[in-house]
Amino acid sequence: METYRNFIGGKWIESASSKVVENLNPSNTRDTIGTVKQATRAEARAAVEAAAGAFRDWRATPAPARGRIVAKAARLMEEAKEELAQILTHEEGKTIGESRGELQRSINVAEFCAGESRRMNGETILSELPANFAYTIKQPLGVVACVTPWNFPVAIPVWKIAPALVAGNTVVFKPATLTPGTAVRIVEIFAAAGIPAGVLNLILGSGSDAGDEIINHPAVKAVSFTGSNPVGIRLYEQVSRRGAKCQCEMGGKNPVLIMEDADMDLAVESTAQGAFGSSGQRCTATSRAVVVNKIADEFVDRIAKRAQSMRLGDGMDPKTEMGPSVDENQFKTVLEYLNIGREDGATLICGGERATGDGLDKGYFVKPTVFDRVTPDMRIAREEIFGPVLSVMRVNDFDEAMQVANDTEFGLSSSIFTNDAARIFRFVDEIETGMTHINSPTTGGEAHIPFGGIKGTGIGEREQGSTALDFYTELKVVYVDYTGRKREGNLY
């Protein structure tokens, strides 16, 4: 059984803390994978100081050289893909197929960001003055804190760390306590790729102690966070109060619109993937199905049968379609929302309880759940559950569907199933989400395409794609006057 260590200044250091948390397999809570000593505030400060000390030399390293190191990390990740996927499934619970998919996404992101090291371009701008021109350059910020969640414990750290490093920043990485094994392995890979001491540091600790110390340290010039809205808003308030940059990717309550001309086979299977894949533990998960009345009965019947057919179990079993909730707290939260749905008057069609039998009693398994006749005022229609729960909301027509879909504080992802071109383009114009899909699930994304939401979901620049480096750089404007004489007239 492993005791996970911090990585500070290029060295693996066991925490001096007496606070210990067990890393449990959520599919079988009798299986203790390892232990985490919760890093102290002093250790968190040491990590920031190590990053600050390494910044000057790393910034001076040419961007393509930084990119080569990130590219090597991508190759090492490719070599360790199966090992990492198994670690991920073991400690987070998602199926091995989902874990392999996450690893490939991570590799793609690292490769893309490595290439961006040769495209850190500015622009030249013609001046209104004679013999003058201006241009812009991108420069790194300094020490960046990357605070990541447990639900994508490889992909999200990589899509924060890789662009931060390519841009010339040094990094303090604070992952979720529930997934230390993947965090340690990611840092080992970057270290093996040649990251200099102090450039990338890992702190395994609680958000209230180690995390608070990191985000409030004056040497930390930017914080990139992915997680829940309550935590993200508090973090944003703290970071912005001292004038540092902050990027928050938070919750979602993602709708899929099912129109009367939808391909029903495609709509049902895609909605099931979006709602129940990764046990619903994705910010892009489909949580609301907005269905026109004409086909609602058929859709509800078919999505319920698909939910009931899903095979639950240990993610290492290739036949498993859905794993457990990640830990006891999340498990209890999902069960609580199932009771809330009943109390609010929604019609429970299937699921609605803990899954038992065939060894499922040992883990945090919840049956895939479908509620029908959910109204916009119900809590299960408004609050992020982060579990395998789908709310079906019946509407009369497209206009009402759009109204219901947009009636939420969140704005991450959405989708529509229809073959009507006019509706598709109206949907694209009117839907209030940062990402949207046509005739496909609300989930999914690609390494070279920006990722992020609007409204209460996102704060700051988009992650990934061509915009990935925007958050991690400052834009400097340079004026060059080559007249050789004093400027006359209004200098603005």
Side-chain angles (χ1 to χ4, degrees):
M1 186 169 62
E2 185 174 359
T3 299
Y4 306 101
R5 295 178 295 170
N6 300 309
F7 189 66
I8 303 173
K11 297 179 180 179
W12 291 100
I13 300 171
E14 186 168 326
S15 175
S17 173
S18 60
K19 298 179 180 178
V20 179
V21 176
E22 291 184 331
N23 185 20
L24 300 179
N25 176 357
S27 292
N28 180 3
T29 58
R30 301 172 190 176
D31 177 15
T32 302
I33 304 167
T35 58
V36 183
K37 288 187 174 181
Q38 301 284 279
T40 65
R41 286 181 174 268
E43 290 161 349
R45 283 196 301 274
V48 175
E49 289 162 5
F55 173 62
R56 183 173 181 178
D57 288 345
W58 183 243
R59 171 182 178 160
T61 303
R66 299 193 297 255
R68 282 194 292 273
I69 294 175
V70 172
K72 185 174 180 181
R75 292 195 297 272
L76 293 175
M77 210 178 302
E78 181 78 58
E79 294 171 7
K81 181 177 178 180
E82 186 61 25
E83 173 208 351
L84 260 169
Q86 292 188 23
I87 294 172
L88 200 170
T89 291
H90 201 192
E91 71 176 359
E92 196 271 349
K94 64 181 59 177
T95 68
I96 190 64
E98 290 169 334
S99 293
R100 289 169 182 149
E102 180 175 340
L103 260 296
Q104 190 57 55
R105 172 85 170 270
S106 306
I107 293 162
N108 294 348
V109 167
E111 288 176 343
F112 178 84
C113 288
E116 288 294 278
S117 67
R118 294 183 180 274
R119 293 186 289 271
M120 289 186 60
N121 305 320
E123 61 176 335
T124 57
I125 306 168
L126 295 176
S127 173
E128 63 184 31
L129 300 172
N132 279 261
F133 80 97
Y135 65 95
T136 64
I137 56 176
K138 293 178 180 178
Q139 294 189 314
L141 305 172
V143 179
V144 171
C146 297
V147 183
T148 63
W150 47 261
N151 63 325
F152 282 88
V154 178
I156 294 177
V158 169
W159 81 47
K160 294 180 187 294
I161 292 170
L165 294 177
V166 163
N169 302 286
T170 54
V171 174
V172 178
F173 168 34
K174 205 223 68 79
T177 305
L178 293 174
T179 50
T182 48
V184 166
R185 195 70 187 90
I186 291 166
V187 173
E188 287 176 343
I189 284 171
F190 274 98
I195 291 290
V199 171
L200 175 60
N201 304 272
L202 170 68
I203 287 293
L204 302 172
S206 70
S208 58
D209 287 324
D212 184 71
E213 190 68 33
I214 292 166
I215 67 169
N216 287 302
H217 196 294
V220 173
K221 303 304 180 185
V223 178
S224 180
F225 166 84
T226 299
S228 71
N229 281 66
V231 175
I233 294 301
R234 287 198 303 271
L235 182 147
Y236 176 71
E237 289 172 347
Q238 290 177 276
V239 174
S240 59
R241 190 177 298 122
R242 61 182 183 83
K245 290 183 76 174
C246 191
Q247 176 187 59
C248 294
E249 190 60 49
M250 299 176 287
K253 198 66 183 172
N254 310 297
V256 54
L257 277 62
I258 316 291
M259 298 292 103
E260 62 270 18
D261 65 333
D263 179 328
M264 188 60 75
D265 290 338
L266 179 62
V268 168
E269 185 58 32
S270 297
T271 302
Q273 290 176 11
F276 309 129
S278 296
S279 307
Q281 297 176 143
R282 294 184 285 205
C283 56
T284 56
T286 306
S287 58
R288 295 181 295 147
V290 184
V291 189
V292 293
N293 282 318
K294 185 176 180 180
I295 58 167
D297 287 343
E298 180 186 2
F299 176 81
V300 169
D301 179 66
R302 293 180 63 172
I303 194 69
K305 288 178 179 176
R306 182 66 184 94
Q308 291 168 322
S309 74
M310 295 200 77
R311 183 184 175 112
L312 278 61
D314 190 324
M316 291 304 297
D317 183 344
K319 296 180 181 178
T320 295
E321 292 182 275
M322 196 186 92
S325 294
V326 71
D327 72 344
E328 184 177 13
N329 287 335
Q330 187 59 36
F331 174 68
K332 288 180 176 178
T333 295
V334 176
L335 294 180
E336 181 181 351
Y337 272 107
L338 299 180
N339 289 329
I340 289 169
R342 292 186 185 92
E343 292 167 1
D344 282 354
T347 302
L348 178 65
I349 301 299
C350 67
E353 61 184 357
R354 180 176 191 165
T356 57
D358 296 326
L360 299 179
D361 313 67
K362 300 176 183 178
Y364 301 121
F365 292 93
V366 177
K367 290 181 179 180
T369 298
V370 176
F371 281 104
D372 190 14
R373 302 188 183 278
V374 176
T375 56
D377 59 312
M378 292 181 183
R379 288 181 61 187
I380 59 170
R382 308 204 68 81
E383 300 174 11
E384 187 176 40
I385 299 172
F386 232 55
V389 182
L390 178 69
S391 296
V392 178
M393 310 175 75
R394 298 180 179 230
V395 295
N396 291 314
D397 52 29
F398 176 78
D399 288 333
E400 186 182 357
M402 290 303 303
Q403 181 181 352
V404 169
N406 286 331
D407 184 14
T408 175
E409 67 179 280
F410 301 104
L412 182 54
S413 186
S414 58
S415 68
I416 187 171
F417 285 84
T418 181
N419 291 307
D420 185 322
R423 279 179 178 167
I424 288 171
F425 283 102
R426 275 195 61 194
F427 174 75
V428 170
D429 284 345
E430 297 173 21
I431 193 68
E432 296 172 357
T433 57
M435 303 178 292
T436 196
H437 303 257
I438 310 303
N439 292 320
S440 63
T442 59
T443 56
E446 298 180 46
H448 59 292
I449 299 175
F451 180 98
I454 61 174
K455 297 167 73 172
T457 290
I459 297 172
E461 292 93 340
R462 294 287 194 272
E463 299 189 273
Q464 298 187 71
S466 59
T467 60
L469 270 65
D470 290 350
F471 174 73
Y472 297 101
T473 55
E474 292 284 12
L475 192 68
K476 179 177 285 186
V477 178
V478 182
Y479 292 93
V480 179
D481 183 330
Y482 53 97
T483 60
R485 59 180 183 272
K486 186 179 84 169
R487 187 182 301 176
E488 303 292 341
N490 189 350
L491 301 182
Y492 298 103

